[in-house]
Amino acid sequence: MKFFTPIFLIILFYGLNTAAQEAQLNTISKRIYTTQKLVEVPIIDGKISEIAWDVVDWSSNFVENDPNEGTAPMYQTKFKVMYDANYLYIALRALDENPELIEQRLSRRDGFAGDRVSVVIDSYHDKRTAFMFTTTAAGVKGEEIASENGENIDDSWNPIWYTDAHIDEKGWTAEMKIPFTQLRFGNAEEQIWGFNVVRNIFRKNERSLWQRIPNDKAGFISESGELHGLINLKLQKQLEIQPYTVLQYDSYPKEGNNPYRDGSDFKVNAGLDAKIGITNDLTLDLTINPDFGQVEADPGTIALDGFQIFFREQRPFFVENKNIFDFEFADGRDNLFYSRRIGRNPHRDPTLAEGEYADLPKNSTILGATKFSGKTKNGWSFGVLESVTANEFAEIKQTDGNTREEIVEPLTNYFVARAQKDFNERNSYLGGIFTATNRNLNGNFSELHKAAYTGGMDFRHTWKNRNFYIEGNTIISYVTGSKEAIERTQRSITRLFQRTDADHVNVDPTRTSLTGTGGKINIGKQGGGNWRYNGGLVWRSPELELNDVGFLRQTDEIIQFAEINYLWQVPTKIYRDIKVSLEQLSNFDFQGNQNEMEYKLEGRINWINNWSTNLGLGHNPLLYENAYLRGGPRWRFANKDFVYFFLNSDSTKKLSFTLGYIKRKTERNINNLSKYVFRMNYQPFDAINMSLNTELQQTVDKTQYITTTNFGAEKRYILGQINNQNWSTTLRLNYSLNPNFSVQFYGQPFISRGRYSDFNFVNNPTASSFSERVTLYDENQISYTNEPIAIDLNNDGKLEYDFPNGGYLIDDNVNGNLDYAFKKPDFSFVQLQTNLVVRWEYIPGSELFFVWSRGSSGSQDFNDSLTDSVRDQVFDIPASDTFLIKATYRFVR
């Protein structure tokens, strides 16, 4: 197949010829710590002063992992482990000759700031998954679930456990008390768990391990030591019940005579979450009237390409254990399960007559949700999620004073099931997923799918000490609905079956279903020696559809990719480590057109002084896009070159920063981009942290798509030169009184401004030169008016062009008659978001929140500068305020 390029073949050939050479690795013996049952229960105050700890011995002899792997660390670390019927107890001593230099940075839970020690527990002993518990020198706790042998780290997990830390003349100490209910393990007379302890000396940026793991290993969970001596543990069935109450007051600008926007609202909400241990391995999560609100708002963004934007999930119920349900089948963010579809904003707006007002729900109400998830001792992992969202109605105030209701979202059921099975001594797994979305349309909503189903299988196999791997997945989707719904799906920007130059797809208005496929195959080397490489294929058929409960940006693609890396992992007097990467990518559609070719060279250096630099160079000698003209023919972009550079200062200092620059340049400056990045983190005191992230992007594109219109029997695809500037700044301030009480401020102004000129239309969309691809309008063809435009070209009572604020009038053939028009596309969008959050974890697992959120968004004069637009939005535009109090209490058995 022609997309297997020479670079890809060279990489595979090289891999086959070097596999045997690099399989000869240093043999590192597994360390074993044997615990014992305690006699007395210690007090968890971080001081390790009780004789209760004397039933077990200290273990030490840590080995440095970074920067000088395999050497003795600057200071040693010791630990003890013991247990009783319900808890695992761990004592840690971090020796340090300079206690005054120990970084005791306070932060919220999962802050992972300052000196810290982490305990890694693979209680499944599957050599792929681990629970990680971290205590900092300031006593701040953090916890994570690591999967895929450490490739995937999820810090959203918040178990109940107890810890504290203490500074003394020898360094610092910490104690942990971990309930067995928070771990998952099988039934055995003696438990054998994977186990490791990791220490970070913050000021030296040094990491040391109890179980040595050479840097050339493929993962850190499979290489952990072992914890023995857990005899006759009783299986623990978790039971947690967490009710919540929310009081919310909203204040906003009054909107004329709208009775639903009179300036303020007040509401009270309550609900309950529960965790029930069906077995020690499997947990059932239940929720009644869940609180799926998020404290931090989504970042501001503008999509000029027409594609949907991915937003990160921030709602607690969906965030926890989200890695179990992930099925990233291709590349980027494509996933069979995108939880933000559940509880989304209604699909439809109500139909209003003049003088009517509507109270439209912002989100679909989630009536209930259930999750069943976990992993068994014999290698099965499961995840099942079921959720129902309600019929949503807009209440409409009519001109006669009466009210009526109009449905805007149907009752919908969402179902996701995920399973994986480990085998071959945990070196391989095979998995599957099934999702279903079913809507109760009741003869309404002809634009929506009645049902959508997806299924997929994935696998991964590793060999040669897990250094080599092959992985892949394949999926199938099926959607059904009315003829209108399926035609709408065919015409959506994700597919565009109406493309005028596509022979392999076409719109069929009689269809009532679509079936599509996709998948990925990837083979490579991930550990051992200094070389890493991989290559593979990704495909998405034109009919593939995932967006009812998944995320899919584009279809009709076959992507071939290859990458080779070389690592310098032994520090010198100049650097700590270096990585150089060469990447290549080709993109084809299912008609056989090659749409992209890209080459990229990237280098990353971590200097000996803890600074780092990243440099990348790239070249696109070929670049087309099928969707650019929104259903028109395939469009050719100018060949482009790009470069990016990032400089990062020492993050262990109280003040650290990042400087970044990205530059894209094309032939004849057709589509140029410059992006400037500045990030700063400042910790003036242990209790206070400040961070700033500023990005400015400037784009000049002579062929920015504007609209499509009719010119007689032809289609006119109208483009223009856009001068687009995007600027955003995110400021975060954190004050922590202690590990359980914090105050946080978040603020982000965002502005996107675009000004257009040099309008043109598509002439030959795939021509090699810019002058042949487009034709510029001359002064005899185009004129601008700021008066309202209302044009009925066919004299049939229908307005083809209706632009209240004016626009451009086009006499295309210069015969003195108007041929078509389009509105002035200039814009200036400004958004301001701020949040002030006070959080108090008054007992482990139970929290009290006080939140003040303030925000505004709207359009500004596009002739103003960026700073003037932001100033006007802050000071001149009335903002909306939300005051919220939320209380939770966690009952644990």
Side-chain angles (χ1 to χ4, degrees):
M1 298 175 72
K2 61 183 180 180
F3 42 77
F4 282 98
T5 64
I7 287 182
F8 183 46
L9 295 175
I10 290 170
I11 290 173
L12 290 180
F13 178 79
Y14 180 84
L16 293 174
N17 280 275
T18 58
Q21 301 173 27
E22 294 188 346
Q24 303 299 320
L25 305 172
N26 294 329
T27 301
I28 306 297
S29 60
K30 291 278 188 180
R31 299 189 69 181
I32 296 174
Y33 183 91
T34 302
T35 183
Q36 296 184 42
K37 203 164 188 177
L38 58 76
V39 177
E40 297 181 18
V41 177
I43 299 172
I44 306 301
D45 58 6
K47 297 181 180 180
I48 322 180
S49 56
E50 302 90 349
I51 61 172
W53 290 105
D54 293 343
V55 299
V56 288
D57 296 326
W58 290 104
S59 183
S60 188
N61 296 323
F62 278 54
V63 178
E64 188 173 326
N65 176 260
D66 188 29
N68 296 292
E69 198 284 312
T71 64
M74 174 169 286
Y75 301 116
Q76 270 297 336
T77 308
K78 304 191 295 183
F79 69 88
K80 294 182 175 186
V81 182
M82 57 186 186
Y83 72 100
D84 61 16
N86 298 310
Y87 298 95
L88 188 72
Y89 299 84
I90 303 172
L92 300 143
R93 169 161 285 285
L95 298 171
D96 197 318
E97 295 177 357
N98 300 287
E100 69 279 1
L101 299 180
I102 294 172
E103 288 284 351
Q104 303 178 67
R105 297 191 177 186
L106 282 165
S107 68
R108 274 191 60 173
R109 187 171 185 163
D110 295 331
F112 303 108
D115 284 62
R116 59 193 183 275
V117 175
S118 301
V119 175
V120 180
I121 301 175
D122 176 11
S123 56
Y124 295 119
H125 208 206
D126 64 0
K127 301 182 181 181
R128 290 179 53 220
T129 311
F131 303 97
M132 298 192 295
F133 298 86
T134 298
T135 302
T136 74
V140 178
K141 67 171 63 170
E143 51 280 312
E144 300 161 300
I145 292 180
S147 57
E148 299 178 15
N149 205 4
E151 289 294 319
N152 189 348
I153 303 294
D154 179 8
D155 64 1
S156 63
W157 180 52
N158 288 317
I160 296 287
W161 65 294
Y162 310 89
T163 188
D164 206 348
H166 177 70
I167 305 288
D168 61 20
E169 69 280 359
K170 296 180 181 179
W172 66 282
T173 56
E175 293 175 307
M176 297 180 177
K177 178 181 175 182
I178 303 170
F180 288 128
T181 58
Q182 306 302 306
L183 302 174
R184 301 291 179 266
F185 51 90
N187 189 9
E189 181 178 349
E190 179 183 2
Q191 299 287 333
I192 297 179
W193 295 351
F195 187 81
N196 211 347
V197 179
V198 184
R199 180 188 178 182
N200 290 80
I201 302 178
F202 189 79
R203 67 183 185 275
K204 296 294 183 182
N205 202 12
E206 177 190 286
R207 180 170 64 248
S208 58
L209 309 176
W210 173 67
Q211 170 66 60
R212 180 188 172 193
I213 303 177
N215 288 335
D216 64 358
K217 291 293 184 180
F220 74 84
I221 299 174
S222 61
E223 308 305 315
S224 295
E226 292 182 350
L227 178 64
H228 291 202
L230 298 166
I231 307 298
N232 293 325
L233 287 187
K234 294 182 179 180
L235 298 181
Q236 307 284 319
K237 293 184 179 180
Q238 184 180 17
L239 177 60
E240 297 180 9
I241 300 174
Q242 187 174 39
Y244 78 88
T245 301
V246 176
L247 306 178
Q248 182 172 329
Y249 174 77
D250 296 302
S251 175
Y252 49 84
K254 179 178 173 60
E255 297 181 5
N257 296 320
N258 188 344
Y260 302 113
R261 301 288 294 174
D262 59 2
S264 65
D265 296 311
F266 178 77
K267 59 184 177 182
V268 179
N269 197 15
L272 181 133
D273 295 326
K275 288 181 177 291
I276 303 171
I278 305 302
T279 68
N280 184 69
D281 307 270
L282 304 173
T283 302
L284 180 67
D285 291 78
L286 303 172
T287 184
I288 300 172
N289 190 28
D291 174 33
F292 290 142
Q294 58 188 56
V295 171
E296 188 169 302
D298 294 321
T301 186
I302 290 286
L304 293 177
D305 58 8
F307 289 101
Q308 61 179 323
I309 299 170
F310 182 94
F311 288 111
R312 182 171 60 93
E313 179 62 84
Q314 300 184 82
R315 299 171 296 178
F317 179 83
F318 292 114
V319 167
E320 189 170 1
N321 293 332
K322 62 182 173 61
N323 61 299
I324 292 179
F325 295 92
D326 276 348
F327 193 99
E328 186 179 296
F329 80 94
D331 58 350
R333 293 189 169 96
D334 289 348
N335 207 305
L336 267 67
F337 179 50
Y338 178 45
S339 57
R340 290 193 64 146
R341 303 291 185 204
I342 303 175
R344 56 155 293 154
N345 57 305
H347 279 90
R348 181 184 288 180
D349 290 323
T351 303
L352 300 178
E354 187 175 352
E356 290 185 336
Y357 298 95
D359 184 16
L360 181 67
K362 293 182 179 179
N363 299 98
S364 305
T365 301
I366 301 175
L367 298 176
T370 303
K371 287 194 302 186
F372 177 66
S373 59
K375 187 164 187 175
T376 65
K377 183 68 175 178
N378 60 4
W380 279 102
S381 61
F382 299 95
V384 178
L385 184 145
E386 168 74 17
S387 181
V388 179
T389 60
N391 282 319
E392 291 295 341
F393 296 87
E395 182 180 281
I396 300 172
K397 190 77 169 180
Q398 301 177 141
T399 55
D400 59 5
N402 295 320
T403 61
R404 60 181 172 87
E405 287 188 337
E406 183 177 324
I407 190 168
V408 291
E409 181 72 15
L411 179 75
T412 306
N413 185 86
Y414 300 93
F415 176 80
V416 182
R418 181 81 162 102
Q420 279 187 343
K421 176 64 170 71
D422 300 337
F423 58 95
N424 187 28
E425 298 181 348
R426 312 291 186 173
N427 287 304
S428 309
Y429 70 76
L430 181 66
I433 189 173
F434 174 76
T435 76
T437 305
N438 291 277
R439 297 186 175 92
N440 184 16
L441 301 182
N442 284 334
N444 205 332
F445 294 96
S446 61
E447 72 272 22
L448 297 183
H449 298 145
K450 180 175 178 59
Y453 305 100
T454 63
M457 296 184 65
D458 61 340
F459 74 93
R460 182 178 174 89
H461 171 63
T462 62
W463 67 95
K464 292 288 185 183
N465 295 314
R466 301 177 185 255
N467 291 332
F468 297 88
Y469 71 93
I470 181 171
E471 64 181 6
N473 53 55
T474 182
I475 67 169
I476 186 170
S477 69
Y478 174 78
V479 295
T480 183
S482 67
K483 295 177 182 179
E484 293 83 356
I486 299 304
E487 181 175 351
R488 183 178 182 183
T489 302
Q490 294 176 75
R491 292 181 177 275
S492 68
I493 194 168
T494 306
R495 270 156 292 279
L496 296 173
F497 283 11
Q498 69 272 30
R499 296 201 308 269
T500 57
D501 60 345
D503 299 329
H504 62 302
V505 292
N506 63 282
V507 175
D508 183 350
T510 67
R511 297 187 68 170
T512 57
S513 66
L514 281 179
T515 302
T517 63
K520 177 180 181 178
I521 184 73
N522 185 15
I523 183 170
K525 180 176 181 289
Q526 61 182 358
N530 299 99
W531 289 98
R532 306 285 188 273
Y533 42 82
N534 70 87
L537 291 173
V538 169
W539 72 95
R540 307 176 184 89
S541 77
E543 298 84 3
L544 185 66
E545 169 63 335
L546 306 178
N547 287 322
D548 289 273
V549 73
F551 187 90
L552 177 66
R553 193 172 186 268
Q554 197 165 5
T555 63
D556 196 9
E557 290 185 318
I558 302 172
I559 301 173
Q560 170 270 317
F561 60 90
E563 179 179 357
I564 186 168
N565 306 299
Y566 189 82
L567 311 177
W568 286 264
Q569 301 180 87
V570 179
T572 68
K573 293 181 179 180
I574 299 175
Y575 62 82
R576 294 166 69 103
D577 59 79
I578 302 175
K579 177 181 178 181
V580 175
S581 303
L582 176 64
E583 301 175 29
Q584 173 271 328
L585 177 145
S586 298
N587 189 328
F588 297 77
D589 63 27
F590 274 64
Q591 188 169 308
N593 298 311
Q594 185 174 7
N595 286 334
E596 184 177 5
M597 175 65 78
E598 180 178 283
Y599 302 96
K600 184 166 70 172
L601 177 66
E602 182 180 42
R604 186 207 68 211
I605 304 176
N606 291 320
W607 304 99
I608 199 66
N609 64 353
N610 291 328
W611 287 52
S612 66
T613 55
N614 290 68
L615 175 65
L617 307 169
H619 175 57
N620 281 91
L622 180 73
L623 188 59
Y624 292 82
E625 187 175 312
N626 289 341
Y628 190 71
L629 297 181
R630 314 298 201 269
R634 184 166 166 254
W635 171 258
R636 178 170 183 166
F637 287 96
N639 299 343
K640 70 178 181 182
D641 299 291
F642 58 90
V643 60
Y644 54 90
F645 176 79
F646 284 83
L647 173 66
N648 307 285
S649 73
D650 184 357
S651 61
T652 67
K653 304 300 183 184
K654 290 188 178 296
L655 177 64
S656 61
F657 63 86
T658 295
L659 296 175
Y661 176 68
I662 302 171
K663 177 69 174 180
R664 180 182 72 211
K665 187 176 178 60
T666 64
E667 54 180 323
R668 296 186 58 180
N669 297 319
I670 294 171
N671 187 344
N672 290 355
L673 176 147
S674 296
K675 186 173 183 178
Y676 307 88
V677 177
F678 174 71
R679 304 182 187 125
M680 181 269 292
N681 190 80
Y682 182 47
Q683 184 102 25
F685 309 103
D686 288 336
I688 298 177
N689 176 266
M690 305 166 58
S691 66
L692 181 71
N693 184 359
T694 297
E695 297 184 4
L696 173 64
Q697 178 174 306
Q698 299 173 317
T699 305
V700 177
D701 185 354
K702 296 180 180 180
T703 58
Q704 174 63 49
Y705 175 83
I706 297 174
T707 190
T708 300
T709 189
N710 293 319
F711 175 48
E714 301 178 19
K715 290 286 187 182
R716 274 285 187 252
Y717 303 99
I718 301 173
L719 314 178
Q721 176 172 307
I722 184 175
N723 186 338
N724 182 212
Q725 294 177 306
N726 292 337
W727 175 65
S728 68
T729 293
T730 302
L731 173 67
R732 298 178 188 270
L733 304 174
N734 299 281
Y735 170 72
S736 298
L737 182 64
N738 56 55
N740 301 314
F741 187 94
S742 64
V743 180
Q744 291 184 305
F745 173 81
Y746 162 89
Q748 186 200 60
F750 168 81
I751 179 171
S752 180
R753 185 186 64 179
R755 289 181 286 189
Y756 288 79
S757 62
D758 297 336
F759 297 100
N760 54 82
F761 62 87
V762 176
N763 184 32
N764 182 354
T766 59
S768 58
S769 70
F770 172 69
S771 59
E772 294 177 353
R773 284 198 294 274
V774 301
T775 300
L776 289 170
Y777 291 109
D778 63 34
E779 59 183 12
N780 296 317
Q781 291 176 296
I782 186 169
S783 61
Y784 173 73
T785 176
N786 56 12
E787 299 295 327
I789 299 175
I791 302 173
D792 178 7
L793 287 177
N794 299 322
N795 295 317
D796 57 1
K798 297 180 180 179
L799 296 177
E800 280 78 15
Y801 308 103
D802 185 11
F803 307 130
N805 297 317
Y808 291 91
L809 305 174
I810 308 297
D811 179 6
D812 199 305
N813 51 17
V814 197
N815 62 0
N817 297 320
L818 178 67
D819 292 310
Y820 50 88
F822 59 91
K823 67 178 180 180
K824 188 177 181 67
D826 294 11
F827 63 88
S828 181
F829 173 80
V830 183
Q831 177 176 280
L832 176 68
Q833 299 172 337
T834 60
N835 292 74
L836 182 66
V837 181
V838 179
R839 172 189 172 272
W840 177 31
E841 187 175 1
Y842 54 94
I843 59 174
S846 301
E847 298 173 311
L848 189 62
F849 290 92
F850 297 90
V851 180
W852 171 40
S853 177
R854 182 177 179 85
S856 64
S857 63
S859 297
Q860 292 288 337
D861 187 344
F862 45 75
N863 292 312
D864 287 345
S865 66
L866 294 181
T867 54
D868 287 343
S869 296
V870 172
R871 182 202 61 204
D872 293 343
Q873 189 72 29
V874 172
F875 296 106
D876 297 342
I877 304 299
S880 298
D881 295 279
T882 295
F883 300 90
L884 180 147
I885 300 175
K886 178 182 177 180
T888 68
Y889 187 84
R890 200 165 177 179
F891 297 91
V892 181
R893 188 192 70 177

